[in-house]
Amino acid sequence: MISFGPVPSRRLGKSLGVNNITANKICSYSCVYCQVGLTHKFSAERQEFYSPDVIYKEVQAHLSKLTSDEQPDYLTFVANGEPTLDIRLGESISRLKEFQIPVAVITNASMLSDVQVRESLCLADWVSVKIDAGDELHWKKINRPFKQITFQNYLSGLKQFSTEFTGKLVTETMLVKDVNDKVEDLENTVKLVNMVMPSVAYISIPTRPPAVKTVLAADNEIINYAYQLFTENGLKTELILGFEGTDTGFTGNAAEDIINMCSVHPIREDTMQEILRKDNADNTLLDTLVFNNYILKLNYNSKNFYLRNFRR
Ligand code: SF4
């Protein structure tokens, strides 16, 4: 199946997935946390998979079955592997844009030193690039790239693409316990993310069964630290911790509002008090949410923050 969904996505609203890589997973990485499993077919060679016409017709048929309420906000290339390995990706993006729906691509960014890959991605409206590490050692440790891909090429491709792309560029950083979560690792990562100047830097953790069974999500304190570090470096940062917080403000249901907001970013104590006041609630509700492990109270730089408890 080429198209699937739409699935709800905090980043993209209603997103209709487009899998442009046929059959088994083909990727230039074998990330330790990959939810598709280990990479058995490594590649850094672009090749033809589906023709753009086949992709177009499948998406067209899919869209025609959806009600007007179900129509997607984005058509998103999120492949069974790395979507930029598809040599006809650019043509497929152009065809899909005929539906007048914005097109998104989620890429591992390993192929960006190839000018044709960059040209293809520049046709999209929204691109997410993976930045899990800012130094070669940790990049190899977490992403386990195909031998033909060098860290230097990855860096230069990222830099070049960030200057050429005029759509919305975001980054995604996965935090894995004891792999890329030390303070100095995060300092290197934030430098690289900053070089790309994303609209939003997303921080996530593995929440589905990973390719390497021993992989664990980074600790809550580290997630909070990473968020603060990214923010202090001027990055608009959001968390994706396995549930889709909405960050939409006040719905009248104070408990739901607090949980939603804490899912997107840690909330500082003074801001939390403001939220409680606006929602006509008080510290009893806050204490109950902490006591029942919906949210955690963490200290950073002598200030209290509240964060959604992803382990609950
Ligand atoms: S880049 Fe994506 S598909 Fe490829 S191994 Fe990593 S997580 Fe899996």
Side-chain angles (χ1 to χ4, degrees), residues 175-236:
L175 295 182
V176 177
K177 188 177 173 72
D178 297 333
V179 177
N180 65 342
D181 64 340
K182 300 283 168 292
V183 169
E184 58 272 27
D185 307 340
L186 295 170
E187 283 169 354
N188 286 330
T189 306
V190 81
K191 276 186 210 148
L192 184 51
V193 174
N194 242 330
M195 183 193 81
V196 167
M197 292 191 296
S199 308
V200 185
Y202 290 96
I203 294 176
S204 58
I205 49 164
T207 54
R208 301 205 182 101
V212 174
K213 300 291 169 256
T214 51
V215 157
L216 292 172
D219 290 338
N220 291 309
E221 288 73 13
I222 294 294
I223 297 168
N224 187 35
Y225 175 78
Y227 176 87
Q228 308 298 346
L229 183 68
F230 275 48
T231 308
E232 284 161 9
N233 275 271
L235 291 161
K236 179 172 171 6

Side-chain angles (χ1 to χ4, degrees), residues 52-102:
D53 206 41
V54 167
I55 292 181
Y56 176 87
K57 284 190 175 133
E58 171 133 351
V59 172
Q60 185 180 44
H62 198 138
L63 290 173
S64 71
K65 288 183 204 140
L66 302 175
T67 64
S68 54
D69 280 354
E70 291 169 334
Q71 289 300 314
D73 301 306
Y74 273 90
L75 303 175
T76 307
F77 284 85
V78 50
N80 194 13
E82 171 49 33
T84 62
L85 289 172
D86 175 3
I87 201 161
R88 301 189 73 183
L89 174 66
E91 290 172 70
S92 294
I93 292 173
S94 297
R95 288 301 311 274
L96 293 191
K97 291 197 78 165
E98 291 172 29
F99 294 116
Q100 309 276 324
I101 299 172

Side-chain angles (χ1 to χ4, degrees), residues 82-246:
E82 171 49 33
T84 62
L85 289 172
D86 175 3
I87 201 161
R88 301 189 73 183
L89 174 66
E91 290 172 70
S92 294
I93 292 173
S94 297
R95 288 301 311 274
L96 293 191
K97 291 197 78 165
E98 291 172 29
F99 294 116
Q100 309 276 324
I101 299 172
V103 173
V105 184
I106 297 177
T107 172
N108 68 17
S110 65
M111 304 282 292
L112 292 177
S113 59
D114 179 335
V115 64
Q116 284 165 354
V117 169
R118 296 199 304 275
E119 281 170 5
S120 299
L121 288 176
C122 279
L123 297 167
D125 302 282
W126 184 101
V127 173
S128 170
V129 293
K130 187 186 289 300
I131 302 183
D132 292 333
D135 65 280
E136 184 169 4
L137 184 75
H138 291 87
W139 173 69
K140 284 188 170 165
K141 217 169 147 185
I142 191 163
N143 298 129
R144 305 191 299 179
F146 187 43
K147 54 184 181 315
Q148 282 180 17
I149 295 169
T150 68
F151 190 61
Q152 275 320 311
N153 278 350
Y154 166 64
L155 288 186
S156 63
L158 266 177
K159 193 170 187 178
Q160 192 70 29
F161 181 64
S162 66
T163 59
E164 292 168 359
F165 184 54
T166 54
K168 189 167 179 186
L169 180 63
V170 306
T171 58
E172 184 168 351
T173 301
M174 185 76 89
L175 295 182
V176 177
K177 188 177 173 72
D178 297 333
V179 177
N180 65 342
D181 64 340
K182 300 283 168 292
V183 169
E184 58 272 27
D185 307 340
L186 295 170
E187 283 169 354
N188 286 330
T189 306
V190 81
K191 276 186 210 148
L192 184 51
V193 174
N194 242 330
M195 183 193 81
V196 167
M197 292 191 296
S199 308
V200 185
Y202 290 96
I203 294 176
S204 58
I205 49 164
T207 54
R208 301 205 182 101
V212 174
K213 300 291 169 256
T214 51
V215 157
L216 292 172
D219 290 338
N220 291 309
E221 288 73 13
I222 294 294
I223 297 168
N224 187 35
Y225 175 78
Y227 176 87
Q228 308 298 346
L229 183 68
F230 275 48
T231 308
E232 284 161 9
N233 275 271
L235 291 161
K236 179 172 171 6
T237 307
E238 290 190 15
L239 302 175
I240 302 180
L241 304 182
F243 27 70
E244 299 284 313
T246 56

Side-chain angles (χ1 to χ4, degrees), residues 16 249 254:
L16 187 88

